[in-house]
DNA sequence: ATTCCCCTGTGATTGTTTTCACAGTGTAAT
DNA sequence: ATTACACTGTGAAAACAATCACAGGGGAAT
């Protein structure tokens, strides 16, 4: 299994989703140029990305949707399940829960954490909310490695540190703050303010 | 003004924010390696990025925070203000509002839109919510170019089309769907599910 | 059977982004 | 005055990513 770029990984994840959709629509075969239209990725790029999975399509019938899907999953997924925890049950945390209910077999939200006593022990979308100080215990026993940081900016760093101390190894950070954490922790920044500013920059360009 | 990469734009926006913070802390000078620590960007990269703004620092004192900030703003900002509208006032839309209240002089949320009669005409964080069918009128009169798409996946494409028809030229898309829109419209995808899956991929790697 | 066609997989190429490395600069210390 | 120093700005190199372009393959049409 050789090194592969972050961009390729994102695209593979995207292909996987699209293939899953196709499967539920009973489409069993697909060509790279069709997948291209569904993903806004060039067909050459798609073929290149798929190389790493080892799966080969047929020049005549294209790719078998089910087999390709399995091949991508084998490449991307870790053996066994991975747990996800949400830190912060404000609007953002709840909206993530909402979007997440799409069936994601190997990835499951197992717990939420908040300090607000009104939220603790409530169950939302089938997920129970715990006190933040219970995090270490629950994360260890439930095999949770992914944490979604959805708290106000003011406390983002403290909560992130707590997440790491509790055993989280990958963080999805929505707060507009750079987190200082040990280097072996993977952090994906999804800074909401920055995203708006970026769109503002590119949307004005078109006006001229 | 020459071509510059998307990544550079994102970083410039980040530098701008950090510099703004420094200014409120009354720090007036900064070296590239200090900014590097605050942003997780190498100092060489920072100097390279700053080239496009035309601003030059002093080899002795580093950069003047205020002057550099102004220089970046001159480069990034359009003359005049830009309006932002939020489509969908569920949890996600409200959380964007919450994060946004940081002072953003040239970028302002001017309206929200929703079809739910319970939400229409309510005012949240100082932003009024309108009926979706009022969008075209309001967007035209209020100089709104940026739209944040925060609706359920099911209706994302329809609302996006409506946004474009109403005059929006840049869309920040949080739904896990690729939008089909005219090519001159800028779309920034911030697919929430994909982000979680990506973190899951990279967080497992560290465990081995 | 032969030709044609459209697809895949991939080596080669092109294009882009990041890093390296160093000349140039101005202050401070001796 | 001279030297030493720590930084910037940037050409050049390296690393990385996307695209091109074509050999190879097999079904369909003639």
């Amino acid at each position: 299994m050789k090194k592969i770029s972050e961009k390729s990984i994102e695209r593979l994840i995207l292909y996987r989703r699209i293939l899953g959709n196709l499967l539920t629509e009973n489409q069993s075969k697909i060509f790279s140029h069709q997948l291209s239209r569904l993903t806004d990725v060039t067909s050459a790029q798609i073929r290149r990305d798929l190389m790493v999975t080892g799966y080969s399509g047929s020049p005549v019938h294209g790719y078998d949707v089910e087999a390709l899907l399995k091949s991508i999953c084998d490449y991307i997924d870790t053996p066994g399940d991975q747990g996800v925890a949400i830190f912060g049950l404000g609007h953002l945390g709840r909206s993530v829960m909402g979007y997440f209910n799409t069936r994601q077999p190997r990835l499951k939200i197992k717990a939420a954490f908040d300090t607000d006593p009104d939220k603790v022990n409530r169950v939302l979308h089938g997920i129970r909310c715990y006190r933040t100080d219970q995090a270490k215990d629950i994360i260890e026993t439930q095999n949770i490695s992914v944490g979604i940081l959805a708290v106000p900016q003011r406390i983002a760093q403290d909560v992130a540190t707590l997440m790491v101390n509790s055993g989280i190894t990958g963080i999805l950070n929505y707060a507009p703050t750079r987190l200082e954490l040990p280097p072996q922790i993977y952090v994906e920044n999804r800074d909401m303010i920055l995203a708006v500013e970026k769109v503002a920059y590119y949307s004005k360009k078109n006006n001229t």
Side-chain angles (χ1 to χ4, degrees), chain A:
Chain A
M1 201 194 256
K2 41 167 132 163
K3 231 194 67 194
I4 185 181
S5 76
E6 224 173 289
K7 293 261 204 103
S8 288
I9 289 292
E10 288 190 23
R11 286 191 300 259
L12 284 171
I13 292 170
L14 178 61
Y15 306 152
R16 172 166 69 171
R17 175 193 300 158
I18 303 282
L19 292 169
N21 294 345
L22 291 174
L23 210 56
T24 64
E25 292 161 15
N26 288 315
Q27 181 171 346
S28 66
K29 301 283 182 185
I30 193 164
F31 293 118
S32 63
H33 64 268
Q34 297 175 303
L35 197 49
S36 170
R37 247 183 296 111
L38 296 170
T39 56
D40 287 348
V41 178
T42 65
S43 59
Q45 181 75 73
I46 290 175
R47 294 200 299 275
R48 185 58 78 187
D49 287 334
L50 297 183
M51 278 178 71
V52 299
T53 70
Y55 177 78
S56 262
S58 144
V60 179
H61 305 108
Y63 302 99
D64 183 89
V65 174
E66 193 168 0
L68 178 54
L69 179 59
K70 180 174 180 316
S71 198
I72 295 177
C73 287
D74 286 351
Y75 182 80
I76 292 177
D77 287 332
T78 190
D81 291 0
Q82 267 188 295
V84 178
I86 297 182
F87 286 75
L89 257 196
H91 287 304
L92 181 55
R94 272 178 255 183
S95 80
V96 174
M97 281 186 176
Y99 277 112
F100 209 81
N101 57 17
T102 165
R103 221 175 37 68
Q104 208 60 43
R106 286 173 174 272
L107 211 56
K108 203 169 171 336
I109 300 181
K110 294 205 172 154
F113 297 97
D114 206 300
T115 45
D116 182 344
D118 290 347
K119 287 171 187 157
V120 170
N121 289 324
R122 282 182 60 189
V123 176
L124 278 150
H125 289 92
I127 316 295
R128 172 175 284 263
C129 182
Y130 299 92
R131 287 201 319 275
T132 308
D133 60 21
Q134 298 172 282
K136 183 157 194 167
D137 188 39
I138 289 163
I139 283 164
E140 277 172 6
T141 56
Q142 303 247 9
N143 187 33
I144 293 172
S145 59
V146 176
I148 299 173
L149 183 55
V151 302
Q153 175 179 9
R154 185 171 35 81
I155 59 171
Q157 177 65 57
D158 287 348
V159 174
T161 304
L162 178 129
M163 287 164 84
V164 171
N165 290 339
S166 304
I168 293 283
T169 54
I171 294 180
L172 176 52
N173 173 32
Y174 281 105
T177 312
R178 301 283 129 165
L179 301 172
E180 289 192 28
L181 296 171
Q184 73 274 20
I185 304 296
Y186 179 81
V187 178
E188 173 78 12
N189 289 302
R190 278 281 192 283
D191 186 322
M192 305 192 99
I193 306 302
L194 200 148
V196 178
E197 296 185 67
K198 184 179 171 190
V199 175
Y201 176 81
Y202 284 106
S203 72
K204 85 179 147 62
K205 303 252 104 170
N206 299 328
N207 292 340
T208 52

